[in-house]
């Protein structure tokens, strides 16, 4: 039988061992797991900073790509030349103030106020009076449109029908003026807009002494405007000769 003092010492030692074991369990959370958590927090912070930097760069790029702002100290022409959009200009000016301004190869004669899209015209010097129809072909009755917006499709239809040769729509189709090559023969309503919005105001470069073909046809004739007085008529497509005033979209 062990003495009482010896038993007491054994119990005391066992208690100390038990306490050390509990302390070890209690402090194990500050070991490798805690270090991993700290690393994860650091990575999260780094990712957040990277995202913030990326957002800032994107905002800067968006600002750089934004249209230049309208400057009331500059002329309309300078604003347009500086890249200010037509819609921005229309917030400060009426559409008629845009007519006659030089833009994308020609003189503005029509603007869609809801979209800012429009049309310009520019004369060409190498055509001279020509016929509407190719002499080598019977005059086609294509029934082409008269409205603003019809001229380009009219011209394509004429060129498809008549092919290579010398005629009004072909001159416009082949024109390369001021760096642009997508010109076309205007419809009668587009040509009327050139006459009314430019020529009557002394703008643009059409000649008062010339009559110009449109791309709008009617049986054996096609519509023409005489720019001396604005009269319209339908001369013979094949035998009559008139001038060409190409237009293009912007």
């Amino acid at each position: 039988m062990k003495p009482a003092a010896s038993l007491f010492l054994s119990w005391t030692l066992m208690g100390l061992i038990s306490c050390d074991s509990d302390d070890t369990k209690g402090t194990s959370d500050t070991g490798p797991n805690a270090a991993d958590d700290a690393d994860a927090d650091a990575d999260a912070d780094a990712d957040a900073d990277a995202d913030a930097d990326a957002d800032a760069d994107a905002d800067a790029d968006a600002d750089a790509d934004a249209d230049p702002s309208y400057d009331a100290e500059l002329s309309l022409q300078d604003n347009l030349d500086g890249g200010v959009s037509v819609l921005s200009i229309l917030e400060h000016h009426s559409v008629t103030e845009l007519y006659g301004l030089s833009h994308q190869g020609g003189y503005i004669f029509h603007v869609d106020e809801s979209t800012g899209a429009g049309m310009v015209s520019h004369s060409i010097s190498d055509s001279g009076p020509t016929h509407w129809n190719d002499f080598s072909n019977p005059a086609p009755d294509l029934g082409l449109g008269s409205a603003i917006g019809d001229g380009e499709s009219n011209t394509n239809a004429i060129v498809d029908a008549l092919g290579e040769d010398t005629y009004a729509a072909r001159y416009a189709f082949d024109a390369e003026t001021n760096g642009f090559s997508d010109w076309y023969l205007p419809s009668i309503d587009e040509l009327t807009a050139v006459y009314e919005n430019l020529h009557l105001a002394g703008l643009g470069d059409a000649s008062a002494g010339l009559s110009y073909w449109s791309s709008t046809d009617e049986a054996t004739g096609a519509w023409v405007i005489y720019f001396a007085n604005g009269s319209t008529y339908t001369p013979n497509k094949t035998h009559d000769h008139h001038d060409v005033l190409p237009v293009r979209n912007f």
Side-chain angles (χ1 to χ4, degrees):
M1 181 175 180
K2 293 182 179 180
S6 177
L7 288 173
F8 177 76
L9 180 57
S10 298
W11 292 337
T12 301
L13 291 172
M14 290 177 64
L16 289 173
I17 292 171
S18 176
C19 289
D20 287 344
S21 176
D22 290 343
D23 288 346
T24 301
K25 291 179 181 178
T27 57
S28 63
D29 290 342
T30 62
N33 290 339
D36 290 343
D37 291 342
D39 290 342
D41 290 341
D43 289 343
D45 291 341
D47 289 342
D49 290 341
D51 290 341
D53 290 341
D55 291 341
D57 290 342
D59 291 341
D61 289 341
D63 290 340
D65 292 339
D67 287 336
S69 298
Y70 173 81
D71 188 343
E73 299 297 320
L74 299 177
S75 68
L76 270 177
Q77 186 67 67
D78 286 341
N79 274 282
L80 200 58
D81 292 345
V84 178
S85 70
V86 169
L87 286 178
S88 294
I89 291 174
L90 288 175
E91 293 177 2
H92 307 274
H93 296 272
S94 68
V95 67
T96 57
E97 294 177 82
L98 287 168
Y99 296 154
L101 294 184
S102 178
H103 187 54
Q104 294 200 15
Y107 303 98
I108 297 175
F109 70 88
H110 172 74
V111 172
D112 183 332
E113 295 183 65
S114 64
T115 65
M119 300 178 184
V120 296
S121 72
H122 202 290
S123 66
I124 52 177
S125 59
D126 60 348
S127 66
T130 188
H131 42 275
W132 194 95
N133 178 52
D134 177 358
F135 268 123
S136 65
N137 291 292
D141 181 6
L142 300 175
L144 299 173
S146 61
I148 288 179
D150 285 342
E152 185 171 23
S153 59
N154 287 353
T155 300
N156 291 335
I158 297 167
V159 170
D160 286 345
L162 301 182
E164 298 285 345
D165 210 332
T166 301
Y167 52 91
R170 190 80 212 190
Y171 270 122
F173 184 82
D174 289 341
E176 294 187 6
T177 302
N178 294 335
F180 294 91
S181 59
D182 55 350
W183 301 90
Y184 56 89
L185 193 65
S187 70
I188 187 59
D189 286 358
E190 291 165 351
L191 190 59
T192 297
V194 175
Y195 176 76
E196 293 178 348
N197 296 337
L198 293 183
H199 190 68
L200 287 182
L203 304 171
D205 60 355
S207 173
L210 300 180
S211 54
Y212 293 97
W213 286 113
S214 78
S215 58
T216 305
D217 68 337
E218 186 175 286
T220 60
W223 285 97
V224 161
I225 297 180
Y226 181 37
F227 270 49
N229 56 22
S231 62
T232 60
Y233 54 104
T234 53
N236 186 276
K237 292 176 181 177
T238 303
H239 301 295
D240 285 71
H241 290 70
H242 300 281
D243 282 87
V244 178
L245 184 64
V247 302
R248 67 175 301 273
N249 302 319
F250 68 82

